[in-house]
Amino acid sequence: MCLCYNQTMKKIQIYTDGACSVNPGVGGWGAVLIFNNIQKKISGGEELTTNNRMELMAVISALNVLKEPCSIEIFSDSAYVINAFQKNWIYSWQINNWQTADKKPVSNKDLWEKLLVLLEPHKTTWNKVKGHSTNELNNLCDEMARTEVEKIKQIKQSN
C-alpha cells in the first residue's frame, strides 16, 4: 500500500477481527486496510492470549502500517473495541486511573495505551459490524485470524 505524503488526509478503511481457539489460548488476528480500492492484508497471532487482546492487536497492527495522518474508518465486530470509543469508555477509564466503573482494573491496559498513541495523528470513526454475517471483509478478517490460530497450533504440535 502506497501511503505518500500530500496536503489532504488519505481516506483509509480498516476491517479487523480477532479469534481464540479457547479463551485464553492460542489466538490470531486479521486486518484488511483499503486505500483507493487497493487492499493490504495483515495477520498474526500469539500462543497464549485472549480474544479481546487479539481484537485489539488487529487494530493496533493495522494502525502501525500507516505512515502519515489519515482519515480512518475502522470496522470491527468486537463490541469490546467499538464500545470503548463509541460509548466513551476509554476516556472514563483514563479519568478513573484505568479503572472500570466497578473500580476494577481495566483489562489490557497496555494495549489500550498503545492504541491511543497510534490513534493520535488520525481522524477516526468506529463502526460496529455484525460478526459471522454477510460482511465480506469482516469474514475475511475472521478467516485470516483463524488461519493464524491453526498455524500456531501446527507449529506447537511439530515442536
Side-chain angles (χ1 to χ4, degrees):
M1 176 177 296
C2 176
L3 297 176
C4 308
Y5 288 86
N6 67 22
Q7 298 290 343
T8 59
M9 285 183 129
K10 291 181 174 50
K11 292 185 176 162
I12 310 289
Q13 291 182 320
I14 299 175
Y15 286 79
T16 65
D17 201 13
C20 257
S21 56
V22 294
N23 205 15
V26 176
W29 58 264
V32 177
L33 295 89
I34 304 164
F35 173 67
N36 282 348
N37 294 319
I38 298 168
Q39 292 184 8
K40 179 173 182 69
K41 300 171 192 164
I42 59 173
S43 60
E46 297 177 20
E47 277 191 41
L48 183 59
T49 190
T50 65
N51 187 67
N52 284 340
R53 286 188 73 79
M54 292 295 91
E55 296 283 1
L56 285 164
M57 281 305 301
V59 178
I60 288 167
S61 300
L63 291 171
N64 269 324
V65 171
L66 303 177
K67 304 295 184 215
E68 65 183 89
C70 297
S71 176
I72 306 168
E73 282 188 282
I74 297 177
F75 298 85
S76 174
D77 63 9
S78 170
Y80 179 65
V81 171
I82 298 299
N83 287 344
F85 293 95
Q86 284 186 345
K87 296 186 176 184
N88 295 317
W89 295 347
I90 190 86
Y91 307 110
S92 297
W93 295 338
Q94 288 177 290
I95 290 167
N96 294 323
N97 198 27
W98 290 100
Q99 291 186 355
T100 65
D102 298 343
K103 302 290 183 208
K104 295 179 181 166
V106 171
S107 297
N108 306 309
K109 175 186 171 194
D110 60 326
L111 296 182
W112 287 116
E113 289 178 324
K114 188 179 290 190
L115 179 55
L116 287 170
V117 169
L118 289 169
L119 287 170
E120 280 179 14
H122 306 291
K123 178 179 176 247
T124 309
T125 57
W126 298 88
N127 302 281
K128 176 84 167 70
V129 297
K130 186 172 181 180
H132 310 284
S133 186
T134 58
N135 188 303
E136 179 183 324
L137 291 170
N138 180 256
N139 290 339
L140 174 58
C141 291
D142 180 64
E143 182 181 320
M144 293 185 331
R146 293 185 185 286
T147 298
E148 290 293 334
V149 169
E150 292 309 312
K151 276 197 242 178
I152 293 169
K153 283 181 175 180
Q154 287 175 2
I155 290 168
K156 283 177 67 173
Q157 287 175 350
S158 65
N159 289 340

